[in-house]
Amino acid sequence: MTENPTTDDNKTWRVRILDLSSGGAKDDDSLEEVGGFHDLAHANAFARSYVRDSVERCRVPGASAKDVLSAWLAFGEDAVVVDAGDDGWHSANELDDFTATRATPMERDWRSLDPRRLIDEEEELAFSAMETEDDEPPTHH
């Protein structure tokens, strides 16, 4: 799989979250789109973790892999890297493994990969400076 199939250095990638409970109506199955991935590897990792977490949320004690798959297909959420074609991660390639094996917390941690949570270093420094100013007690003379 090629990790950067484009020569456009300014391209950002998007991941579309799909609601599988919608019955496959293509116009209505998109829950949201997450943007701001600066490389395909990041978008692929997010999509994979998001689906891995969705599969685990469909797992119940004692369920077989087939039961987990059926529940995910009925109630889960899929993720697709927009405009990545064959280079994008595809859930179909790993669903058998996902449903057969329980995920680790790290494999499910899509939140740490979510670009909406990434804070620009300058913003973080500015925020820290504001907190420091707010923590200083007022001086009264």
Side-chain angles (χ1 to χ4, degrees):
M1 181 161 50
T2 304
E3 290 301 320
N4 190 4
T6 182
T7 57
D8 183 3
D9 292 334
N10 296 322
K11 179 170 179 63
T12 59
W13 296 91
R14 296 182 327 268
V15 173
R16 183 172 296 134
I17 308 298
L18 306 170
D19 180 3
L20 298 178
S21 68
S22 70
K26 295 296 179 198
D27 294 336
D28 300 326
D29 61 358
S30 182
L31 290 175
E32 68 179 306
E33 248 183 48
V34 179
F37 298 96
H38 292 289
D39 60 42
L40 182 55
H42 185 195
N44 281 337
F46 174 85
R48 184 179 192 276
S49 291
Y50 194 94
V51 171
R52 192 71 166 113
D53 184 56
S54 179
V55 168
E56 291 306 314
R57 286 183 281 119
C58 293
R59 188 182 305 276
V60 296
S64 69
K66 183 179 177 182
D67 294 337
V68 175
L69 178 60
S70 294
W72 182 75
L73 289 170
F75 306 110
E77 296 171 353
D78 199 358
V80 177
V81 181
V82 178
D83 298 330
D86 290 339
D87 293 322
W89 179 82
H90 298 278
S91 59
N93 296 338
E94 293 195 78
L95 276 177
D96 287 342
D97 291 336
F98 286 4
T99 58
T101 309
R102 188 173 293 280
T104 66
M106 182 181 256
E107 290 173 314
R108 297 178 65 176
D109 189 12
W110 57 268
R111 289 167 187 84
S112 68
L113 299 168
D114 192 333
R116 298 170 294 188
R117 294 189 55 152
L118 300 176
I119 298 175
D120 185 295
E121 190 172 304
E122 290 177 16
E123 290 177 23
E124 186 174 324
L125 291 174
F127 184 72
S128 295
M130 288 188 322
E131 280 184 336
T132 303
E133 290 173 8
D134 291 343
D135 290 343
E136 294 176 10
T139 56
H140 298 287
H141 294 275

